Amino acid sequence: MSDDTYHHTVFPGLIHAAGDASYVLHATGGAGASAMIIAASLAALRAAVVPKWAGWLGVAAGILALASIFFFPQAAIALWILIVSGLLFARGARDVPTQAEAVPR
């Protein structure tokens, strides 16, 4: 920004406005995350891949993510990712077929 003035001066108001604008741009990504969380949670509920409580908690986290201009919904998005990925990882370890089951006869 300082190269634009050719005097290597950046005005404090511009720095403050740029910081606010960057946070708003980052936080509006929560709308996309919200749609992804709700869709993934409903799909997981339909397929019975995760427990029902986790699916409905995901839907609630997706609705909460719509207000991600505040900090706490950002934390809810991160927690949702950690919890669901842990549940899916644990489920994947149980559902791996053994060598005898994998070979058709």
Side-chain angles (χ1 to χ4, degrees):
M1 283 191 272
S2 65
D3 290 339
D4 292 342
T5 64
Y6 301 105
H7 297 288
H8 299 291
T9 303
V10 179
F11 299 104
L14 182 61
I15 294 172
H16 184 74
D20 289 348
S22 67
Y23 182 75
V24 169
L25 287 171
H26 170 73
T28 54
S34 174
M36 184 271 308
I37 290 172
I38 292 171
S41 296
L42 291 176
L45 274 171
R46 269 187 105 170
V49 177
V50 295
K52 284 189 185 265
W53 65 266
W56 287 114
L57 188 65
V59 171
I63 293 169
L64 183 65
L66 285 173
S68 65
I69 191 77
F70 306 110
F71 173 73
F72 293 110
Q74 294 285 345
I77 293 169
L79 284 173
W80 180 83
I81 291 171
L82 287 172
I83 291 169
V84 172
S85 61
L87 288 171
L88 292 176
F89 181 76
R91 180 183 169 91
R94 287 193 321 254
D95 292 344
V96 174
T98 62
Q99 183 67 22
E101 294 172 333
V103 177
R105 295 179 187 217

